[in-house]
Amino acid sequence: MKNFSKFLMSAMCVTALAFSAGAFYKAYAADPATTVTSMPAGQPVDLTYAAEKALPAVVHIKYVQNSKTQMVEVQSDPFSDFFFGNPFGDFFGNPNGGSTQKRPYKTPKKTATGSGVIITADGYIVTNNHVVEGADELTVTLNDNREFSARIIGTDKTTDLALIKIDGKSLPTLPIGDSDKVKVGEWVIAVGNPFGFNSTVTAGIISAKARTLGANGVESFIQTDAAINAGNSGGALVNVQGELVGINAMLYSQTGSYSGYGFAIPTTIMNKVVADLKEYGTVQRALLGIHGSDVRAYLDKEKEDGNEVDLGTNDGVYVGEVDNESAAEEAGLKKGDAIVAIDGKTVTKFAELTEVMASKRPGDKVTLTYLRDKKKHTVTVTLKNAQGNTKIVKQADLDVLGANFREVTEAQKKQLGISYGVEVTKINAGALKDAGVSKGFVIQEVNDEAIKTLEDMQNAVKAASTSKDPVLYIKGVWPTGKKGYFAVEISK
């Protein structure tokens, strides 16, 4: 992360931390039904119930990426062909004097560890995308040392969340709490497997909410001073009632180890991602179609430039740009507006708007309250997807191809200079891999038909599999911009 060198992804856990009794002002009874109440200064908070609930449901995840043989281009000795069989080949074929050849290179085997949280008794586990991304094997170890092989149900790089599954029954789970109700100053524990120390618990408070760090596309982090270190990623942030309120994701550090703050993805975002991955195989992302900043940040910037601006509020979301044909444009929003509420909920900064939007799907309607020329307006907005419509898109996970796909984003279109395409987001054993296609390749045509949507891809495969010539002639582009052509044989 270029602009994020101080923030390090880490697999979450915690080291034991002692607190003086005089530092605690909240109390909590071990009975889960008991309401947390204030206690006189000097009385310690009891976190044992929260730890007892969390530890059995937090797992250790071992990641393995097997060694692979790849063909890489290497520059040979410019005189080798002269002495060994082709004395003129390089002089006419390569202006640099040496021939470019493809030779096999064996990548080293990679292993890593992280954490995860069991959320259903039959084995669904939430973790971070960066804990499982690229894995060939995933091994999950429970708190009682039972081991299971896990498979990936779905991943979402935009929120850095992933859903994996183990085959089990009556597994320990962690109740899911409402992160919206978490308060700054509230006590929490972080549970995970830092530095290989399994089942570690650390304690601290909620330091802030709705933090943005620039690490992921969708962010509204819970900030905590509970120690989070490498190996804690994907672990649990738990309130004193023993409820999951966040998935630990990263730490702030100049050394690579805990030095004050960790960050967790709130359950309000997690719940939507998990539901989408289960039902559709991909996250249904609803877009408002605006770009901007916190009102406070905008006003500060204008003041620095010598401009005195009065938006009628010091809090909210400043609309700096409205996308063409977006939901926001259709609803009448304009540059210079200040959004102050969504669905009646006050919005003080961009991350809070992002968190609400992360719970929505294309086609959902939201009510926005905004200020224009210091006058309050309310409008109902029908949200769209990245393709500019309100359709729910199902993941094309085509067994015959052994791959997962998604439609390219607006950012990819600009980067690659294309107007449509379907990206290969995951590659397994199958026809595409056999043909040489790998993750990241963007398919634009199959058998001379444009591939603009996942449905186009599915229809192309269906047509080819029922034809006399079951071959997909694929044209597309690599992430580098280089074009690629493949003939993919599929079975009927």
Side-chain angles (χ1 to χ4, degrees):
M1 308 173 194
K2 263 185 190 175
N3 301 318
F4 195 57
S5 59
K6 291 183 179 180
F7 293 90
L8 301 177
M9 289 294 186
S10 54
M12 323 240 118
C13 229
V14 218
T15 51
L17 190 60
F19 298 90
S20 70
F24 298 92
Y25 295 89
K26 286 257 185 184
Y28 141 86
D31 181 356
T34 302
T35 303
V36 179
T37 57
S38 298
M39 289 192 70
Q43 297 298 317
V45 65
D46 186 355
L47 298 173
T48 57
Y49 176 77
E52 288 169 0
K53 288 288 291 182
L55 281 168
V58 176
V59 302
H60 176 274
I61 298 174
K62 182 181 179 182
Y63 162 108
V64 175
Q65 187 178 72
N66 295 325
S67 175
K68 295 178 176 63
T69 299
Q70 299 177 346
M71 299 301 291
V72 297
E73 291 187 349
V74 295
Q75 193 78 17
S76 68
D77 183 341
F79 297 104
S80 61
D81 283 346
F82 187 82
F83 292 108
F84 300 103
N86 185 8
F88 302 106
D90 287 328
F91 292 101
F92 293 104
N94 190 329
N96 296 321
S99 62
T100 300
Q101 299 177 350
K102 285 191 173 182
R103 293 182 180 174
Y105 168 74
K106 196 170 186 179
T107 61
K109 182 177 181 178
K110 296 179 182 178
T111 61
T113 62
S115 305
V117 184
I118 306 173
I119 58 170
T120 66
D122 60 347
Y124 280 98
I125 296 170
V126 179
T127 184
N128 289 138
N129 175 71
H130 75 264
V131 170
V132 303
E133 188 176 26
D136 294 310
E137 301 173 25
L138 290 173
T139 302
V140 169
T141 304
L142 272 57
N143 188 52
D144 61 10
N145 293 321
R146 284 184 291 167
E147 284 192 358
F148 297 83
S149 292
R151 65 184 185 277
I152 297 175
I153 300 301
T155 61
D156 184 42
K157 197 168 186 176
T158 305
T159 55
D160 192 28
L161 287 170
L163 184 66
I164 65 176
K165 178 76 166 62
I166 60 176
D167 293 326
K169 294 180 180 179
S170 303
L171 297 172
T173 62
L174 191 55
I176 298 173
D178 185 352
S179 57
D180 271 351
K181 295 180 180 178
V182 168
K183 296 180 179 179
V184 173
E186 179 179 335
W187 282 98
V188 288
I189 61 172
V191 187
N193 305 282
F195 303 125
F197 295 109
N198 293 351
S199 304
T200 298
V201 176
T202 54
I205 62 169
I206 299 296
S207 304
K209 295 178 67 177
R211 288 290 198 207
T212 55
L213 307 175
N216 305 318
V218 173
E219 295 181 343
S220 185
F221 289 114
I222 297 172
Q223 181 180 325
T224 178
D225 64 354
I228 288 171
N229 282 298
N232 273 119
S233 289
L237 190 69
V238 181
N239 64 18
V240 293
Q241 290 95 342
E243 298 171 331
L244 179 70
V245 293
I247 298 295
N248 298 326
M250 61 182 66
L251 61 96
Y252 174 88
S253 177
Q254 295 176 324
T255 65
S257 297
Y258 169 78
S259 59
Y261 299 109
F263 298 89
I265 302 161
T267 53
T268 50
I269 291 178
M270 181 204 80
N271 289 336
K272 162 68 163 39
V273 170
V274 167
D276 282 357
L277 292 178
K278 271 187 176 183
E279 186 171 355
Y280 307 110
T282 189
V283 176
Q284 306 299 317
R285 191 142 282 125
L287 303 177
L288 187 55
I290 65 166
H291 306 274
S293 65
D294 297 351
V295 163
R296 194 177 297 270
Y298 169 73
L299 294 177
D300 288 345
K301 177 65 169 57
E302 289 297 306
K303 192 173 183 179
E304 285 179 9
D305 294 340
N307 302 319
E308 289 295 332
V309 178
D310 185 3
L311 297 176
T313 180
N314 291 323
D315 292 314
V317 173
Y318 174 75
V319 179
E321 182 182 347
V322 178
D323 291 337
N324 292 332
E325 299 181 0
S326 65
E329 184 183 63
E330 289 185 0
L333 267 71
K334 296 180 179 180
K335 178 179 178 179
D337 291 343
I339 299 171
V340 294
I342 180 169
D343 289 339
K345 180 180 178 180
T346 299
V347 170
T348 63
K349 48 189 175 180
F350 209 108
E352 293 174 353
L353 178 64
T354 297
E355 187 170 347
V356 174
M357 289 296 299
S359 68
K360 305 298 181 181
R361 294 191 175 103
D364 286 352
K365 296 180 186 294
V366 297
T367 301
L368 293 180
T369 303
Y370 64 95
L371 299 180
R372 179 181 296 169
D373 299 326
K374 296 191 287 185
K375 294 181 180 179
K376 186 175 287 188
H377 303 269
T378 300
V379 66
T380 299
V381 184
T382 302
L383 303 174
K384 296 185 177 183
N385 59 28
Q387 287 68 49
N389 58 61
T390 58
K391 292 181 180 178
I392 293 293
V393 180
K394 290 196 174 183
Q395 174 69 41
D397 185 4
L398 305 171
D399 294 338
V400 67
L401 297 182
N404 289 0
F405 308 90
R406 72 175 176 193
E407 293 164 25
V408 292
T409 63
E410 292 301 320
Q412 286 175 305
K413 291 176 185 178
K414 290 179 182 178
Q415 178 188 345
L416 298 172
I418 60 178
S419 56
Y420 60 85
V422 169
E423 179 191 6
V424 178
T425 59
K426 182 182 178 184
I427 197 85
N428 300 310
L432 278 187
K433 185 175 183 180
D434 292 343
V437 180
S438 59
K439 181 180 175 181
F441 185 72
V442 175
I443 298 171
Q444 290 193 283
E445 287 186 21
V446 173
N447 296 342
D448 296 324
E449 294 291 334
I451 303 299
K452 298 181 179 181
T453 65
L454 297 177
E455 188 176 359
D456 290 342
M457 190 70 197
Q458 290 169 321
N459 290 339
V461 173
K462 184 177 180 180
S465 63
T466 57
S467 69
K468 294 181 180 179
D469 183 22
V471 177
L472 302 178
Y473 296 98
I474 292 176
K475 296 180 182 179
V477 61
W478 293 101
T480 59
K482 183 180 179 181
K483 293 184 178 180
Y485 305 89
F486 298 92
V488 181
E489 295 185 10
I490 58 175
S491 57
K492 290 189 178 183

